[in-house]
Amino acid sequence: MARTHRIAVIAGDGIGPEVVREGLRVLERAAAAHGFRIEPTRYPFGAEHFLKTNEIFPDSAFTEVRGHDAILLGAIGDPRIEVGLLEFGIIAKMRFELDLYVNLRPVKLYAEHLSPLKDTTPDDVDFVVVRENTEDAYAGMRGFFKRGTPDEVATQEIIFTRKGVERAVRYAFELARKRNRAKKLTLIDKANAVRAMDLWTRTFAEVGAEYPDIARDHQYIDAACMYLVRDPRQYDTVVTSNMFGDIFTDLAAMIQGGLGIAASGNIHPGRVSLFEPIHGSAPKYANQNVANPIATIMAASMMLEYLGEPRAARHIENSVAGLNQSKRLPSLGTDSGLSTTQIGDLVIEAMEKAGVPA
Ligand SMILES: NC(=O)c1ccc[n+]([C@@H]2O[C@H](COP(=O)([O-])OP(=O)(O)OC[C@H]3O[C@@H](n4cnc5c(N)ncnc54)[C@H](O)[C@@H]3O)[C@@H](O)[C@H]2O)c1
């Protein structure tokens, strides 16, 4: 019997359902070409469901979702609902409760015209960022004192644990080794000002001693933002904390062509993990069939890699790269005259033309 991958699908809000629809079509095509099956289970969580039922993400559904092999997420967020309520109740719930401690962000430029940087070619931009995904200021330890008064005090704790830092750093060293490119890992922190980050410095040095084949590099986040624009070629594998990773990867997304292309994995190795485009729900484009589904299609490719289908993953990636090189795809999507469905069609057509890669 064909291998079956059971996928929990949360299409979510805004453009989420439209881009996920194309992601699933591409997954089905890859499955047919590579001899496995995709068994999606759809979950309705998001703004419409919340407005109808007052339910965000009940525990019973959460237990079901965690029983799948992987999760495909569109986007969550709707202007009709209190900022952060659903994002926290759905996305953050999965990141924290499934302990998805690696946020993996490949940054690859597929065609020169996609980058806003002058004279930057695909040879210059090919790296991956490992962003710690469960700690830092995002751990939710916050409070307001004397709220709404002139004496208000707001606090939010930055938390790093040895265990949390070490597992992210170790994952990144392993990845640098597996990529087998420059064999270099860059730690990005701000240990000069945020002294708690000394834990990152020490852990990086200690774990790094076990990886003598991987060159160690270090940058402060402010300098790293400058270097990323000046010379993206210097990066191979990068490891960083949750908040700096959040910012650095959005800047990196622009260098690779923007939100229409960038995908991410939220990973706990060996356990159910979540794949999504990095963009949000883009409410102004919802239900118009104009959003660019490429980031979701690339998230589907990352998911297949994770599920042990590397040839199918490469098949999708190569097809998207080829379409980008032929300038047939837009970087964001709404300025090209192509609909969401037409972009999905183009990818499927390119996969058929390319045939199954060796
Ligand atoms: N992981 C997530 O689900 C996630 C991530 C970011 C933001 N959000 C939520 O999404 C909502 C909107 O946030 P935002 O406007 O800051 O970010 P956004 O990513 O939704 O949109 C930023 C800009 O890019 C455009 N855009 C984004 N993706 C596009 C695509 N695939 N095709 C064409 N255009 C696209 C948008 O229209 C907008 O102009 C908020 O509620 C926010 O909380 C969710």
Side-chain angles (χ1 to χ4, degrees):
M1 220 181 85
R3 299 178 301 285
T4 300
H5 302 298
R6 297 181 60 245
I7 312 299
V9 179
I10 303 176
D13 300 323
I15 60 172
E18 295 159 78
V19 294
V20 162
R21 179 190 71 215
E22 299 311 312
L24 283 172
R25 283 175 66 211
V26 168
L27 274 175
E28 293 292 353
R29 179 72 200 99
H34 294 267
F36 60 88
R37 289 185 55 227
I38 290 290
E39 204 176 280
T41 318
R42 289 162 214 268
Y43 291 91
F45 305 114
E48 287 302 335
H49 185 78
F50 176 70
L51 290 172
K52 265 192 241 144
T53 64
N54 217 26
E55 197 173 71
I56 298 180
F57 193 178
D59 286 344
S60 54
F62 183 73
T63 306
E64 257 183 64
V65 164
R66 80 178 329 149
H68 287 73
D69 298 319
I71 305 162
L72 182 65
L73 177 75
I76 300 291
D78 185 300
R80 293 170 297 175
I81 292 169
E82 182 193 326
V83 173
L85 181 72
L86 299 181
E87 290 89 332
F88 204 81
I90 300 175
I91 306 173
K93 183 178 170 78
M94 289 191 281
R95 285 188 186 171
F96 286 101
E97 293 187 25
L98 298 175
D99 199 25
L100 304 174
Y101 66 84
V102 166
N103 189 291
L104 192 65
R105 275 280 293 110
V107 183
K108 209 165 171 176
L109 177 64
Y110 290 118
E112 192 168 341
H113 71 275
L114 293 176
S115 182
L117 297 185
K118 190 164 51 120
D119 302 328
T120 299
T121 70
D123 284 343
D124 299 322
V125 183
D126 184 356
F127 61 94
V128 57
V129 181
V130 174
R131 165 186 166 196
E132 198 289 320
N133 210 24
T134 56
E135 302 191 339
D136 205 338
Y138 299 61
M141 299 177 71
R142 62 176 176 264
F144 298 92
F145 179 55
K146 299 189 180 177
R147 189 178 184 128
T149 74
D151 297 324
E152 179 161 356
V153 178
T155 62
Q156 185 136 353
E157 292 295 320
I158 288 177
I159 304 288
F160 302 122
T161 66
R162 170 69 198 213
K163 184 180 153 202
V165 172
E166 182 169 337
R167 62 186 182 173
V169 165
R170 197 172 283 287
Y171 183 96
F173 273 110
E174 289 291 334
L175 184 62
R177 188 177 267 174
K178 189 168 158 225
R179 276 169 61 81
N180 198 20
R181 290 174 62 87
K183 290 204 156 194
K184 173 173 150 185
L185 179 62
T186 304
L187 168 66
I188 296 178
D189 64 30
K190 188 70 189 172
N192 52 346
V194 181
R195 285 304 295 140
M197 293 201 99
D198 188 53
L199 180 58
W200 282 83
T201 314
R202 284 182 277 118
T203 306
F204 188 65
E206 282 166 32
V207 175
E210 295 172 36
Y211 295 86
D213 53 322
I214 306 298
R216 272 177 269 156
D217 183 26
H218 171 255
Q219 293 172 358
Y220 295 128
I221 180 64
D222 43 345
C225 290
M226 183 262 293
Y227 291 137
L228 180 57
V229 172
R230 198 179 68 184
D231 173 25
R233 206 184 177 110
Q234 66 187 281
Y235 298 107
D236 168 22
T237 308
V238 172
V239 65
T240 190
S241 59
N242 206 343
M243 182 155 44
F244 295 150
D246 195 355
I247 297 162
F248 189 76
T249 55
D250 262 30
L251 182 56
M254 291 317 295
I255 286 171
Q256 72 182 126
L259 294 181
I261 286 176
S264 71
N266 297 265
I267 293 173
H268 187 125
R271 292 204 205 158
V272 59
S273 293
L274 182 157
F275 299 84
E276 57 175 336
I278 74 159
H279 63 69
S281 55
K284 69 179 175 196
Y285 295 133
N287 303 315
Q288 295 171 41
N289 201 28
V290 294
N292 187 347
I294 290 296
T296 307
I297 290 170
M298 291 308 298
S301 164
M302 288 180 77
M303 185 172 82
L304 289 180
E305 176 83 37
Y306 184 75
L307 291 171
E309 304 288 355
R311 288 170 75 222
R314 229 172 339 114
H315 195 177
I316 297 174
E317 188 185 2
N318 292 348
S319 303
V320 168
L323 285 169
N324 275 313
Q325 280 146 16
S326 66
K327 300 196 180 177
R328 294 180 73 198
L329 289 182
S331 58
L332 200 53
T334 52
D335 52 352
S336 66
L338 289 173
S339 70
T340 309
T341 323
Q342 282 170 328
I343 296 175
D345 288 344
L346 277 176
V347 174
I348 288 169
E349 196 185 294
M351 286 172 74
E352 268 154 26
K353 273 206 193 114
V356 176

